[in-house]
Amino acid sequence: MTTKYEIGSVHTGKVTGIQPYGAFVALDEETQGLVHISEITHGFVKDVNEHLNINDEVQVKVLSIDEKSGKISLSIRATQEAPVEEKKEAPKKPKKRQATVKAETETPQGFNTLKDKLEEWIEQSKREEVKK
């Protein structure tokens, strides 16, 4: 059955069926294989029907042959040249803000180290004990 098809060979086939997971392609009267959705084209494919129609003639590359089950895995993507990716600019980093020095009379707000807070809590606790 699959003696005339070798892994890595490229053939012209006809789309005979479309499923959510891929498309079936007939290589000849007796042999057909599956092009998985991930092998249809470069990039993300949400819906196979947006890329293929039944009776479309497509170039496919044989990825694997399972002699026991008779299944052939095909790829359309492997017969196409990969698109050249445009260089994307690296995301710009936010500018660092310079810390402002507060006068000692102001009460500090925001992030404080545990050490600073601990000293503050101890002082606060001593004042509360004196009041009692």
Side-chain angles (χ1 to χ4, degrees):
M1 170 194 103
T2 56
T3 54
K4 57 180 152 181
Y5 300 106
E6 293 180 12
I7 295 173
S9 60
V10 177
H11 304 276
T12 301
K14 187 179 272 193
V15 177
T16 58
I18 295 177
Q19 295 294 321
Y21 52 84
F24 290 95
V25 176
L27 299 174
D28 60 31
E29 298 290 324
E30 303 147 6
T31 312
Q32 73 174 2
L34 174 69
V35 178
H36 187 266
I37 190 169
S38 65
E39 292 295 330
I40 289 175
T41 187
H42 295 278
F44 179 74
V45 176
K46 184 176 181 179
D47 183 5
V48 178
N49 292 297
E50 293 176 0
H51 299 273
L52 298 172
N53 296 307
I54 292 179
N55 292 325
D56 282 355
E57 284 207 358
V58 291
Q59 289 283 107
V60 292
K61 183 175 186 176
V62 179
L63 297 180
S64 67
I65 301 170
D66 186 343
E67 292 289 342
K68 197 180 269 187
S69 65
K71 294 181 179 179
I72 301 176
S73 294
L74 303 171
S75 174
I76 297 171
R77 177 176 85 161
T79 65
Q80 303 167 343
E81 199 170 305
V84 178
E85 289 187 34
E86 294 178 21
K87 278 193 171 185
K88 295 179 181 177
E89 289 184 30
K92 293 183 180 178
K93 293 181 182 176
K95 292 181 181 178
K96 291 183 180 177
R97 295 184 180 167
Q98 207 167 10
T100 55
V101 180
K102 293 183 179 182
E104 288 186 28
T105 56
E106 289 185 44
T107 56
Q109 293 183 354
F111 177 78
N112 294 317
T113 63
L114 187 57
K115 181 183 173 194
D116 294 341
K117 267 314 219 186
L118 185 61
E119 290 172 7
E120 184 182 323
W121 293 331
I122 290 171
E123 286 298 317
Q124 193 177 30
S125 174
K126 286 179 183 176
R127 282 181 285 194
E128 288 177 8
E129 285 178 8
V130 171
K131 289 179 183 177
K132 289 180 182 177

